[in-house]
Amino acid sequence: MSAASSNLDTASAGLSAAYRDPRQGRGTGRTRLWRRVVDWALIGAAFAVVAGVAVQARAQSTTLLNVSYDPTRELYKDVNAAFAAEWKGKTGETLTIRASHGGSGKQARSVIDGLDADVVTLALSADIDAIAREAKLLPAEWQKRLPNNSAPYASTIVFLVRKGNPKAIKDWDDLVKPGIGVITPNPKTSGGARWNYLAAWAYAQQKYGDEAKVRDYITALFKNVPVLDTGARGATTSFAQRNLGDVLLAWENEAFLVFDEFGADKFEIVVPSISILAEPPVAVVDANVDRKGTRKAAEAYLQFLYSDKGQQIAAKHHYRPSRPEVVAKELVDAFPKLKLVTIDRDFGGWAKAQPEHFGDGGTFDQLYKPKS
Amino acid sequence: MAQALVLGRRTSGPGVLPGFGLSIGFTLVYLSLIVLIPLGALALKAAGLGVDGLLKIAFDARVLAALKISFGVAFAAALINAIFGVLVAWVLVRYEFPGRALVDAAVDLPFALPTAVAGIALAALYAGNGWVGALLEPHGIKVAYTPLGIMVALVFVGLPFVVRTVQPLMQELDREIEEASATLGASRLQTVVRVLLPPLLPAVLTGFALAFARGVGEYGSVIFIAGNMPYVSEIAPLLIVIKLEEFDYRGATGIALIMLLVSFAMLLVINLIQAWSRKRYGHV
């Protein structure tokens, strides 16, 4: 109130007088006193609100925080609503699930630095490994605790092209042709981009076998990348809204989402001959749930992802379910069949691939090194 | 306004009002908590690298390229703001026109807007299919996703600094001085260069320094419009983020420390120039 009224004062003073005395507009002693009273009242009210919110948050039964990565926003909105309803039916407890989204690596770092995540659902197991390694919030062998390498759903990398595929992009080969603009986020800052990079690598390896030629292919590919966005969502925006480039390397679910979001009349999905099986893993953050007393709910939440209902929701959001047999057939059939390499079999796991390709001075950094 | 006045008037003693002990104590504690301790922690973390490690980071080709872009573009953007900010302030102080209060308020918007929002808006505007970009690109001028885009973002976030530091001083310049200069036979250019600008110079420099400092550290608005290509449009703060992404906290603080040292050196130089100009021309 007082802020608004004093703004009005200065505004009208500005209109009326060309040369404004700096002391003008402060009002007489009485209005000044009144204003100060209002200010203090406002400050008091602000404190009361903050205290109130804090008390209320404490009084609430259980709150779970799911720290996730960018393209799962829509998925977890559905999952959270469905799980909260199920939990209420089972235990009578009102469960509030908050979700935090952002770049996978950045999210992992927030958890390491103290963000109170009950569960993490990130883009790469390397990011959860980092939480185990750097902050010891969960055991190093966390990935063995849930079925299927702790990945309740999987995805892969596909191409999104403009309607009619004007540049006739069919496979990875076409991406290195001159004049093709390839949009991918920066593998240094985006988990999804690392899957993109490795999928391209896997293709070149299958085609050439020889490492020097694989590097040439990857170098040529990134020569065609005009912009390195920091995250998957940013890259999608660059491609779909800014009209940048001819092909977007994207998570399969993100590509379908662009379809849903911008209309199927503008884009087409191209499925390459080979890609990578991207398995975004999930884990309970032990140290946090034990401190907060939320272990039971957190574990049930992750189990729910593997349940029939959870799998159905994942498939609906274009994530490949790990138990396709429990999901409606038409949803499963919507996923194109293609050859998929895996990180464990073909790249020796994230513990090896991460430093080799994306660490300081790794294969990705070498791409941009100027030839001396 | 009041701030500029206080800055201008250098008082040496505590003055007639009591409470110096309390207020200096508060000042030191506050400054320590908010500024000195965090920066000290940064230096401490980076100290683990040793001088060798720090030099290695500083002279890494990619870091050098990023530093060059960050400081170079921030400097250019601050320069542009110094020139056009003075112009904007002049118009706001000396002319009466409908909607002046609105324009005056609009100057502060870059302060209030979340930087990411600014970055996304600018990128949308200057991209090849944006309103401005669509006009420029047929003429071969690419703004978004080039260093030029970074500059646009930095000019945007830096604008209020110059306007708001120069404005109050300008308000106190008497019109009579200009009239006197004219009656004494000075040309218009002479009046501007020798009569109007000198007393404003310290404030312009302050504004320049603030805009520059802001630009060097700017991340949110730049990241969406820069294109982030290594060696071309990769800013130093992004390199810090990349180092963090590799869980290389030490390397990240190393780059931060180098930026801090360079900024400090540059701000010191600007301050010296300012002190010199204040001595030379005095102030209003």
Side-chain angles (χ1 to χ4, degrees):
Chain A
M1 259 308 236
S2 96
S5 68
S6 74
N7 262 345
L8 272 180
D9 279 355
T10 38
S12 56
L15 275 174
S16 62
Y19 298 107
R20 206 188 323 157
D21 184 285
R23 284 162 300 261
Q24 192 191 323
R26 277 194 198 161
T28 59
R30 213 212 227 135
T31 53
R32 214 182 305 160
L33 181 70
W34 184 79
R35 217 169 264 166
R36 191 176 288 179
V37 168
V38 173
D39 282 346
W40 278 108
L42 275 179
I43 291 169
F47 269 112
V49 167
V50 169
V53 167
V55 166
Q56 205 183 8
R58 192 166 276 211
Q60 232 153 30
S61 43
T62 312
T63 307
L64 285 184
L65 174 61
N66 174 8
V67 172
S68 193
Y69 64 107
D70 257 335
T72 57
R73 241 169 263 271
E74 294 76 15
L75 167 69
Y76 278 108
K77 221 190 216 159
D78 270 13
V79 168
N80 293 351
F83 178 67
E86 196 183 285
W87 188 256
K88 176 108 187 168
K90 248 188 217 159
T91 64
E93 203 180 6
T94 307
L95 191 64
T96 315
I97 304 167
R98 290 181 297 140
S100 155
H101 297 273
S104 187
K106 188 186 113 246
Q107 295 291 74
R109 230 169 35 250
S110 308
V111 175
I112 290 171
D113 294 340
L115 181 64
D116 254 346
D118 298 278
V119 300
V120 283
T121 55
L122 296 177
L124 324 163
S125 58
D127 286 329
I128 304 184
D129 280 340
I131 299 174
R133 187 181 64 237
E134 308 273 328
K136 312 240 174 325
L137 297 179
L138 67 173
E141 63 277 5
W142 61 270
Q143 204 161 6
K144 296 207 184 83
R145 296 192 299 194
L146 286 167
N148 202 25
N149 272 334
S150 289
Y153 43 79
S155 192
T156 187
I157 302 301
V158 297
F159 302 166
L160 195 70
V161 297
R162 306 202 183 278
K163 187 74 189 175
N165 198 358
K167 299 274 172 100
I169 293 160
K170 294 269 168 268
D171 207 352
W172 293 97
D173 264 338
D174 300 313
L175 302 188
V176 296
K177 288 183 181 155
I180 301 285
V182 181
I183 305 297
T184 166
N186 190 342
K188 300 288 274 193
T189 53
S190 154
R194 284 175 213 171
W195 292 113
N196 292 349
Y197 182 94
L198 292 178
W201 189 282
Y203 168 81
Q205 200 154 42
Q206 178 199 257
K207 180 159 186 199
Y208 304 111
D210 172 37
E211 165 133 9
K213 281 198 180 135
V214 174
R215 279 168 190 255
D216 286 347
Y217 171 84
I218 297 280
T219 308
L221 175 65
F222 275 86
K223 273 232 167 69
N224 279 345
V225 176
V227 172
L228 286 170
D229 283 293
T230 50
R233 269 293 146 86
T236 305
T237 310
S238 289
F239 178 77
Q241 274 187 344
R242 311 255 187 284
N243 225 359
L244 224 60
D246 304 299
V247 51
L248 171 73
L249 304 186
W251 291 95
E252 183 177 49
N253 63 291
E254 188 81 349
F256 275 112
L257 189 80
V258 171
F259 248 55
D260 299 347
E261 216 44 44
F262 295 90
D265 55 331
K266 283 206 186 122
F267 304 100
E268 266 175 40
I269 291 177
V270 170
V271 182
S273 64
I274 180 174
S275 192
I276 195 163
L277 182 70
E279 295 184 300
V282 301
V284 167
V285 184
D286 295 62
N288 291 352
V289 291
D290 288 343
R291 186 164 39 79
K292 292 160 76 179
T294 48
R295 180 178 279 280
K296 255 178 80 185
E299 281 177 350
Y301 178 63
L302 292 189
Q303 290 292 346
F304 177 77
L305 295 171
Y306 289 91
S307 73
D308 296 5
K309 192 148 186 215
Q311 292 282 298
Q312 182 86 16
I313 294 175
K316 222 189 287 164
H317 286 276
H318 314 294
Y319 283 91
R320 295 173 179 236
S322 63
R323 295 171 56 225
E325 67 277 5
V326 302
V327 174
K329 194 169 171 316
E330 72 269 16
L331 279 178
V332 178
D333 288 344
F335 294 107
K337 312 254 172 309
L338 72 166
K339 187 176 169 196
L340 293 174
V341 299
T342 71
I343 183 82
D344 288 335
R345 211 175 46 231
D346 301 83
F347 290 96
W350 274 113
K352 180 167 173 289
Q354 172 72 28
E356 193 178 310
H357 292 286
F358 310 113
D360 194 20
T363 58
F364 179 73
D365 276 353
Q366 290 164 25
L367 294 184
Y368 285 99
K369 224 172 198 137
K371 304 258 178 312
S372 49
Chain B
M1 241 166 259
Q3 188 196 8
L5 287 178
V6 173
L7 279 178
R9 203 171 292 145
R10 294 262 162 105
T11 43
S12 48
V16 289
L17 290 176
F20 173 69
L22 191 65
S23 47
I24 185 81
F26 173 79
T27 303
L28 289 181
V29 169
Y30 190 73
L31 214 61
S32 300
L33 280 178
I34 304 289
V35 180
L36 297 178
I37 291 177
L39 289 187
L42 178 84
L44 206 66
K45 188 107 190 174
L49 289 161
V51 178
D52 281 358
L54 209 59
L55 284 178
K56 216 176 125 202
I57 291 179
F59 288 101
D60 177 67
R62 187 151 166 200
V63 176
L64 265 184
L67 288 173
K68 230 184 259 169
I69 290 163
S70 271
F71 283 95
V73 177
F75 193 86
L79 211 61
I80 292 175
N81 271 328
I83 296 166
F84 291 98
V86 169
L87 215 67
V88 171
W90 182 258
V91 169
L92 286 176
V93 168
R94 278 299 162 92
Y95 298 101
E96 194 49 32
F97 54 91
R100 191 183 69 166
L102 257 175
V103 176
D104 197 31
V107 169
D108 282 332
L109 278 183
F111 273 153
L113 208 63
T115 52
V117 174
I120 291 170
L122 288 173
L125 213 57
Y126 284 91
N129 65 342
W131 291 347
V132 183
L135 296 177
L136 293 177
E137 248 168 54
H139 303 285
I141 308 170
K142 268 187 72 109
V143 179
Y145 315 117
T146 67
L148 203 57
I150 304 179
M151 191 149 88
V152 170
L154 295 187
V155 168
F156 177 85
V157 297
L159 173 74
F161 290 99
V162 176
V163 178
R164 290 301 180 229
T165 41
V166 174
Q167 215 173 2
L169 269 182
M170 228 176 232
Q171 240 146 18
E172 298 190 5
L173 280 184
D174 284 325
R175 201 166 258 202
E176 285 81 22
I177 303 178
E178 292 153 54
E179 284 161 5
S181 134
T183 34
L184 289 173
S187 70
R188 284 179 178 180
L189 186 71
Q190 276 174 322
T191 307
V192 171
V193 174
R194 318 197 76 157
V195 178
L196 290 178
L197 282 184
L200 292 179
L201 197 63
V204 175
L205 281 170
T206 305
F208 174 84
L210 290 173
F212 170 70
R214 170 74 192 269
V216 166
E218 182 59 27
Y219 179 79
S221 62
V222 173
I223 223 67
F224 293 98
I225 197 174
N228 308 321
M229 302 306 284
Y231 297 98
V232 179
S233 54
E234 189 174 60
I235 55 168
L238 176 61
L239 267 190
I240 295 178
V241 172
I242 285 176
K243 290 262 177 221
L244 288 176
E245 216 67 47
E246 291 162 2
F247 300 102
D248 180 5
Y249 285 65
R250 212 167 254 171
T253 48
I255 300 179
L257 190 66
I258 292 163
M259 289 182 72
L260 207 62
L261 293 175
V262 178
S263 302
F264 187 74
M266 294 188 80
L267 290 177
L268 193 70
V269 170
I270 294 172
N271 257 313
L272 288 176
I273 300 175
Q274 215 178 344
W276 169 80
S277 77
R278 191 169 273 141
K279 214 181 274 166
R280 173 96 165 61
Y281 298 111
H283 69 92
V284 196

